[in-house]
Amino acid sequence: MTRSPIPVAGSPGTTFLGTTVRAVLGVVQALRHRREIMHLAELDDRMLKDIGLMRGDVEGALAEALFRNPSRVLVRCAERHGRGEKGSAPVRSARPVVPVVRTRAVRA
């Protein structure tokens, strides 16, 4: 077995090449997910509700930049709807609110 004179792991070009390949693969995956989300846009509102999404969620995901993965937007929306949050309202405390009851002093 022969070894190359330049170690592959230590060469600075492999880091740049690896980063470039990962970036290109990320864009390709984002485009593939965008195409799949376009199919979701063809569903009616009832079918979207069955999978935990709304029409605005799909439109918002498709409005993402071309190189960003729109499926992440849908995952966040589905999680938010699953927790029952309304829009971007702050998460309410799970502790119940108990009213303070003050007794009156009885005068004799």
Side-chain angles (χ1 to χ4, degrees):
M1 179 159 96
T2 60
R3 292 185 152 196
S4 63
I6 302 173
V8 177
S11 112
T14 57
T15 306
F16 175 74
L17 180 63
T19 303
T20 304
V21 168
R22 279 192 301 274
V24 169
L25 290 176
V27 170
V28 169
Q29 183 181 25
L31 292 173
R32 186 175 41 225
H33 287 187
R34 181 173 299 281
R35 187 175 48 228
E36 292 170 358
I37 291 172
M38 290 172 120
H39 291 298
L40 286 176
E42 297 172 358
L43 299 176
D44 64 354
D45 291 337
R46 181 185 52 83
M47 295 174 91
L48 287 173
K49 187 176 180 180
D50 284 345
I51 59 175
L53 296 172
M54 295 187 324
R55 175 82 40 211
D57 300 336
V58 175
E59 292 170 356
L62 291 175
E64 283 289 310
L66 194 59
F67 59 88
R68 295 191 62 194
N69 194 342
S71 61
R72 293 181 181 173
V73 174
L74 290 183
V75 169
R76 284 193 306 266
C77 290
E79 288 173 349
R80 186 177 65 232
H81 295 310
R83 289 190 306 254
E85 293 179 22
K86 301 288 184 191
S88 62
V91 178
R92 296 182 67 187
S93 172
R95 243 176 61 196
V97 177
V98 179
V100 176
V101 179
R102 295 185 179 154
T103 58
R104 287 188 178 175
V106 179
R107 294 186 180 178

